[in-house]
Amino acid sequence: MYSLSKSSVVRGHKVKMTAKLRAEYSAVLHMPLLKEERDKVAQHVDSAYAQQNPEYLITGTHPYPSGPGVALTADTQIQKMPTQGGVQSLALALPPSQARQDATRTAAGVADIHRHAGNAERSQPPLHAMSVMEAGGTKNSALIPRKAPTMPKPQWHPPWKLYRVISGHLGWVRCIAVEPGNEWFVTGSADRTIKIWDLASGKLKLSLTGHISTVRGVAVSGRSPYLFSCGEDKQVKCWDLEYNKVIRHYHGHLSAVYDLDLHPTIDVLVTCSRDSTARVWDIRTKANVHTLSGHTNTVATVKCQAAEPQIITGSHDTTIRLWDLIAGKTRATLTNHKKSVRALVLHPRQYTFASGSPDNIKQWKFPDGSFIQNLSGHNAIINTLAVNSDGVLVSGADNGTIHMWDWRTGYNFQRIHAAVQPGSLDSESGIFACVFDHSESRLITAEADKTIKVYREDDTATEETHPISWKPEILKRKRF
């Protein structure tokens, strides 16, 4: 057996501590000593390790807390921790670095680490989060309280009021589209007809027949004199408005077609169906360019845009998919909703969009679908969404209610429940579709009482007569 001298043990321990310092404390070795600690440390530099016991041992947990909320225990021999003098003397043996030479840099010393060690994160009040500040490009371990975010004051919007009710359909009005010139709009109904109405007067201009079941989607092209429609009869039709007749059919869907949308810059039509697919059609050749497969239930809504991703779909399988139009494949799948997604709307100016579901209205950011916030409170099956350039988001639901939201803050500034048409049941008050006209001064809704209702802003309202009943409550942004 070999016997080790006391000096050998201390020398070995110093080597061990040097390695430990490099491995575990390299981030703080360059930090200068705090002025108030310098005098105190000087007395112990020479005897820092000379008094160490050969049976030196740190028992229990790691000498520093291994994570937030893990406090130092009685079993941890804090008195055996290297002192500031020891740290500084051993640091001198390391190769000099630019960071260590910068003695003027503001940073915390080892004493601060001791002082804050064991401050459990969970013991802090919920309104105070711990943040790590950046000082001179170096991470500083100073912990400061940060207030929880609060909802900023929403922009004031004038209230909307009903000013026209248009009757003429004999069934539920399921869809609306406004033509690019803003002179007329078109509706599709469960009475299997498509009707064209004068926007200024609300008078019927034309009725188109040809579908043999409910018309679920209509769209007017801004690039050609064409009107597109789809319905529960599996048909997708292209109408020439110069002759008022069907000139093309797009065959391929295996079940009811629930929605369609036109690409804004290329001659492409996208439809979605109860057969769990969305299909991309070449308008002129009628070719099925892509069949977008991936949803596991009815695809209820589809939107197109010129920027990437060019196609967005919402489905009864509770997911939203962002599609690569060139490859015809899913680019991203958003699974935050817990119930069917029946409505999507793209913001006309921002690179964002919103989705409507019975659990929440959610806002997202393109191109990857980053979650922004929840708009909670419209506790019904949301069938339709619309948004204008002023940041007014409208949601229409199965129970006949319309909610108006401030897009930026998610503040619900108005709720409307219009009376049903005389002779209709109260249960026939569902909102199936809503859209702003191109001047954004009118809101048109398609309803279950067989009417079309037109709303406009109240010109007499001011912020003094209709103040915002807003409270700066704590913002709760869930990811579910």
Side-chain angles (χ1 to χ4, degrees):
M1 296 294 292
Y2 294 98
S3 61
L4 295 176
S5 67
K6 188 173 182 180
S7 59
S8 301
V9 172
V10 173
R11 194 162 48 248
H13 180 68
K14 282 187 178 182
V15 173
K16 176 183 174 183
M17 291 305 299
T18 303
K20 187 179 183 70
L21 283 166
R22 286 177 176 171
E24 299 187 21
Y25 306 112
S26 58
V28 296
L29 287 178
H30 66 279
M31 295 179 178
L33 287 173
L34 295 179
K35 187 175 180 181
E36 63 270 16
E37 301 289 339
R38 203 165 285 150
D39 297 334
K40 191 187 301 182
V41 168
Q43 303 170 10
H44 303 286
V45 172
D46 297 330
S47 58
Y49 295 103
Q51 298 175 0
Q52 292 294 337
N53 194 310
E55 290 80 29
Y56 174 85
L57 184 65
I58 296 179
T59 60
T61 59
H62 193 278
Y64 289 127
S66 58
V70 181
L72 292 168
T73 66
D75 294 332
T76 305
Q77 299 182 6
I78 301 177
Q79 69 274 14
K80 299 296 186 182
M81 290 298 300
T83 64
Q84 289 196 13
V87 170
Q88 200 69 12
S89 62
L90 287 172
L92 296 176
L94 297 175
S97 66
Q98 185 63 36
R100 194 179 302 120
Q101 292 170 1
D102 187 4
T104 60
R105 183 168 293 165
T106 305
V110 177
D112 278 339
I113 298 175
H114 280 296
R115 195 176 302 128
H116 296 296
N119 282 356
E121 184 177 87
R122 67 186 66 148
S123 67
Q124 299 296 330
L127 296 182
H128 290 76
M130 309 311 287
S131 64
V132 178
M133 303 297 294
E134 296 286 328
T138 306
K139 285 190 177 180
N140 189 344
S141 58
L143 303 177
I144 63 168
R146 187 180 67 218
K147 291 184 179 178
T150 56
M151 180 188 289
K153 186 173 182 179
Q155 177 186 345
W156 183 81
H157 300 283
W160 291 71
K161 62 180 182 180
L162 176 67
Y163 85 100
R164 177 173 290 150
V165 178
I166 301 171
S167 300
H169 277 296
L170 302 178
W172 290 355
V173 188
R174 297 302 306 241
C175 50
I176 312 172
V178 180
E179 65 96 14
N182 212 41
E183 293 181 358
W184 49 267
F185 67 95
V186 58
T187 56
S189 169
D191 64 10
R192 302 169 297 189
T193 65
I194 297 167
K195 292 184 184 287
I196 296 176
W197 311 84
D198 183 71
L199 186 57
S201 65
K203 292 181 179 178
L204 180 65
K205 298 180 70 171
L206 182 68
S207 288
L208 301 172
T209 57
H211 280 283
I212 57 174
S213 189
T214 301
V215 181
R216 293 294 293 262
V218 288
V220 185
S221 174
R223 300 163 56 85
S224 54
Y226 295 153
L227 165 69
F228 297 86
S229 64
C230 64
E232 293 180 5
D233 53 9
K234 310 179 194 175
Q235 297 186 44
V236 181
K237 298 176 182 285
C238 174
W239 304 77
D240 188 324
L241 295 177
E242 293 178 348
Y243 299 96
N244 297 331
K245 65 178 185 180
V246 178
I247 59 169
R248 297 187 187 101
H249 287 89
Y250 302 91
H251 295 290
H253 279 296
L254 306 177
S255 191
V257 186
Y258 279 0
D259 195 15
L260 54 75
D261 199 20
L262 288 163
H263 195 283
T265 57
I266 57 178
D267 290 331
V268 159
L269 171 70
V270 184
T271 57
C272 62
S273 168
R274 197 168 61 195
D275 63 12
S276 305
T277 67
R279 290 178 185 257
V280 182
W281 310 90
D282 184 307
I283 289 174
R284 291 165 293 181
T285 66
K286 301 183 287 186
N288 185 187
V289 179
H290 290 302
T291 299
L292 307 179
S293 302
H295 285 294
T296 57
N297 206 330
T298 299
V299 186
T301 179
V302 62
K303 293 294 176 191
C304 294
Q305 64 176 0
E308 295 288 343
Q310 299 184 45
I311 299 173
I312 306 98
T313 57
S315 170
H316 289 313
D317 66 7
T318 76
T319 67
I320 300 162
R321 285 180 181 253
L322 313 180
W323 300 86
D324 184 331
L325 178 58
I326 297 172
K329 294 181 180 179
T330 301
R331 173 173 174 159
T333 304
L334 312 180
T335 59
N336 301 35
H337 280 294
K338 295 177 182 174
K339 296 188 178 180
S340 302
V341 180
R342 287 179 165 85
L344 293 171
V345 67
L346 313 185
H347 194 285
R349 292 183 179 174
Q350 300 176 14
Y351 200 33
T352 55
F353 72 103
S355 58
S357 173
D359 57 356
N360 274 309
I361 299 168
K362 295 181 185 291
Q363 289 178 333
W364 314 85
K365 183 161 57 177
F366 288 123
D368 301 316
S370 305
F371 176 79
I372 300 173
Q373 66 178 346
N374 277 333
L375 280 61
S376 302
H378 203 168
N379 300 316
I381 296 173
I382 295 172
N383 291 319
T384 179
L385 294 171
V387 64
N388 66 13
S389 300
D390 292 332
V392 175
L393 174 66
V394 181
S395 56
D398 246 10
N399 60 2
T401 58
I402 299 172
H403 284 205
M404 305 279 192
W405 312 81
D406 178 56
W407 178 274
R408 183 174 62 91
T409 61
Y411 172 72
N412 181 203
F413 69 89
Q414 188 181 7
R415 301 182 181 188
I416 302 171
H417 193 170
V420 297
Q421 187 182 35
S424 298
L425 300 173
D426 287 340
S427 58
E428 293 181 315
S429 62
I431 313 292
F432 289 122
C434 67
V435 65
F436 286 100
D437 74 339
H438 294 295
S439 71
E440 298 184 338
S441 61
R442 287 166 287 198
L443 174 69
I444 310 166
T445 63
E447 310 208 1
D449 64 356
K450 307 171 188 172
T451 67
I452 300 143
K453 295 185 172 70
V454 186
Y455 296 83
R456 66 182 175 192
E457 290 180 342
D458 186 351
D459 298 332
T460 63
T462 64
E463 194 166 357
E464 288 72 28
T465 59
H466 293 77
I468 297 175
S469 57
W470 160 80
K471 296 179 181 178
E473 62 227 358
I474 296 172
L475 196 61
K476 294 180 180 177
R477 292 186 176 181
K478 298 180 182 176
R479 200 167 273 280
F480 303 103

